[in-house]
Amino acid sequence: MSTAPSLPDNQFSHPDKLKRMSKSVPAFLQDESDDRETDTASESSYQLRRYKKSPSSLTNLSSSSGMTSLSSVSGSVMSVYSGDFGNLEVKGSVQFAIDYVESLKELHVFVAQCKDLAAADVKKQRSDPYVKTYLLPDKGKMGKKKTLVVKKTLNPVYNEILRYKIERQFLKTQKLNLSVWHRDTFKRNSFLGEVELDLETWDWDSKQSKQLKWYPLKRKTAPVALETENRGEMKLALQYVPEPSPGKKLPTTGEVHIWVKECFDLPLLRGSHLNSFVKCTILPDTSRKSRQKTRAVGKTTNPVFNHTMVYDGFRPEDLMEACVELTVWDHYKLTNQFLGGLRIGFGTGKSYGTEVDWMDSTSEEVALWEKMVNSPNTWIEATLPLRMLLIAKISK
């Protein structure tokens, strides 16, 4: 079943819009709501066994205006930030303290105040700042806490306690990420700086560790730090199936088949529980029509999916411009938490003449894509390491 959308032919007339709309955002703070009802669910993708012996059974896929249509990103790309990232100077400091309350089984983050913050409103020299915290690597909504917004000041006072219900032994695997943001009248957020504490070696019994301290705010560094973490691996296979149309003037289009076989050694975010699934998007399209997913597999860090997804409308030249983004998620209650992902393409840094930051495939990912392109009608298999991605949330 095809998920390539049919869009107007004049979609390349605004390359600046393409660059802006497909702008990536840090995945380590990416929230994914439980959008299973609205995403392309696993039932809409062909399972391998259904066409393994009869490739011709794929010819009933819906027609498409071609992969060219995927260069237009409709709607608005949203992130957990919902606003500007990196556009303001990072300066000033934040005063806070942390403590673990044994009787409540809670981590308390006491946010006292900030001083000398950057001014989001340059003319009036003021901001409307608030503080947000995450316990990494828990990147879902359950791990996010924030203070109230204090308006019209560069030296806000909060005196608020942000609480996390968590067993003390689990804190050894956590990092506290505390960031400061400006929220404007239209509820858009601008990043003002962050602090990150590694809780693995934190001395919870020391009185000095519980005292209020001033920490200088820094620019975003967490994605780089998390890049080195082991995110597990994915075993998969790709195949490009050209579909020549003899006697027709229309450009030849084909299909890309993505067979997600299994994952190995996925990271545990919440004790020993894991309920993982894989999402696939063909960038630069971030619309729901481009999104397919596997079923969720629970209670294992080595899930077997054996699920194939098919995308049609690929012209030979589109293979240079598109990128297959595969992301692995842990479904927990009402949120999906990012575990790791792949971006398989030529990694040129450009798409249809526009510079984009999601064309960042590693050498191993590029090698798989090149083998697929050079070996049509052949399954090309590889086991690739999952990594942190800067990903854009799907548009409406």
Side-chain angles (χ1 to χ4, degrees), residues 47-64:
Q47 296 294 328
L48 178 67
R49 62 179 181 274
R50 293 174 60 182
Y51 59 83
K52 187 174 182 181
K53 296 182 181 179
S54 178
S56 61
S57 65
L58 294 175
T59 58
N60 63 348
L61 300 179
S62 61
S63 61
S64 168

Side-chain angles (χ1 to χ4, degrees), residues 109-395:
V109 182
F110 179 65
V111 182
Q113 58 185 319
C114 299
K115 65 179 180 181
D116 301 328
L117 296 177
D121 186 336
V122 179
K123 186 176 181 180
K124 296 183 179 180
Q125 280 296 300
R126 67 190 190 189
S127 294
D128 297 339
Y130 71 96
V131 173
K132 180 166 55 177
T133 61
Y134 280 88
L135 274 183
L136 302 178
D138 179 3
K139 299 161 284 291
K141 292 180 181 178
M142 305 299 289
K144 179 174 68 175
K145 310 289 182 183
K146 56 186 178 181
T147 68
L148 296 175
V149 177
V150 179
K151 295 186 175 183
K152 303 178 182 179
T153 179
L154 302 181
N155 302 285
V157 176
Y158 301 101
N159 290 330
E160 291 188 46
I161 297 178
L162 306 179
R163 295 176 168 86
Y164 289 89
K165 199 78 173 179
I166 184 172
E167 294 289 338
R168 182 167 174 169
Q169 65 265 27
F170 292 144
L171 288 175
K172 294 181 179 180
T173 64
Q174 307 288 309
K175 294 179 181 178
L176 175 68
N177 179 276
L178 184 147
S179 53
V180 184
W181 298 81
H182 159 75
R183 168 168 278 198
D184 68 14
T185 307
F186 302 102
K187 296 185 178 180
R188 293 175 301 200
N189 302 320
S190 298
F191 179 75
L192 298 178
E194 73 165 12
V195 175
E196 188 164 292
L197 298 181
D198 190 343
L199 303 182
E200 180 181 3
T201 57
W202 195 263
D203 187 356
W204 299 103
D205 299 320
S206 169
K207 290 184 179 180
Q208 190 173 6
S209 298
K210 301 176 183 181
Q211 294 177 352
L212 283 169
K213 293 181 182 178
W214 285 100
Y215 296 87
L217 291 170
K218 300 179 180 179
R219 298 196 63 83
K220 182 60 64 185
T221 57
V224 176
L226 290 174
E227 188 73 34
T228 59
E229 290 187 2
N230 178 28
R231 317 300 301 178
E233 297 177 311
M234 180 185 294
K235 184 178 181 181
L236 74 159
L238 300 182
Q239 180 179 210
Y240 176 56
V241 181
E243 289 189 347
S245 304
K248 295 185 178 181
K249 295 183 180 180
L250 296 175
T252 299
T253 64
E255 299 165 350
V256 171
H257 300 183
I258 304 156
W259 182 5
V260 179
K261 296 188 175 183
E262 55 189 314
C263 290
F264 307 103
D265 301 323
L266 294 178
L268 290 170
L269 300 187
R270 45 188 177 90
S272 59
H273 302 287
L274 194 63
N275 188 35
S276 59
F277 65 96
V278 178
K279 286 187 179 182
C280 180
T281 301
I282 305 296
L283 297 174
D285 186 14
T286 59
S287 70
R288 294 185 185 278
K289 293 180 180 180
S290 172
R291 185 67 54 101
Q292 296 190 41
K293 65 174 70 172
T294 70
R295 73 188 190 285
V297 178
K299 301 179 180 179
T300 178
T301 57
N302 300 285
V304 176
F305 299 105
N306 198 29
H307 181 104
T308 302
M309 307 169 190
V310 176
Y311 291 86
D312 75 346
F314 276 87
R315 302 171 306 174
E317 57 266 35
D318 292 319
L319 296 173
M320 177 65 70
E321 313 297 340
C323 176
V324 174
E325 182 179 88
L326 291 164
T327 52
V328 187
W329 301 83
D330 174 30
H331 178 62
Y332 178 57
K333 294 184 179 179
L334 299 179
T335 63
N336 298 324
Q337 302 177 29
F338 180 78
L339 299 178
L342 305 171
R343 282 221 187 91
I344 306 170
F346 280 118
T348 60
K350 294 183 178 182
S351 176
Y352 299 100
T354 301
E355 291 186 3
V356 290
D357 50 4
W358 45 260
M359 265 291 196
D360 61 349
S361 300
T362 66
S363 58
E364 293 174 288
E365 293 164 351
V366 171
L368 175 59
W369 191 251
E370 287 180 340
K371 289 179 183 178
M372 181 203 74
V373 172
N374 295 328
S375 306
N377 297 308
T378 304
W379 283 108
I380 306 299
E381 182 180 293
T383 299
L384 301 177
L386 297 169
R387 58 188 177 98
M388 295 301 296
L389 298 178
L390 300 176
I391 61 179
K393 193 165 184 176
I394 59 174
S395 57

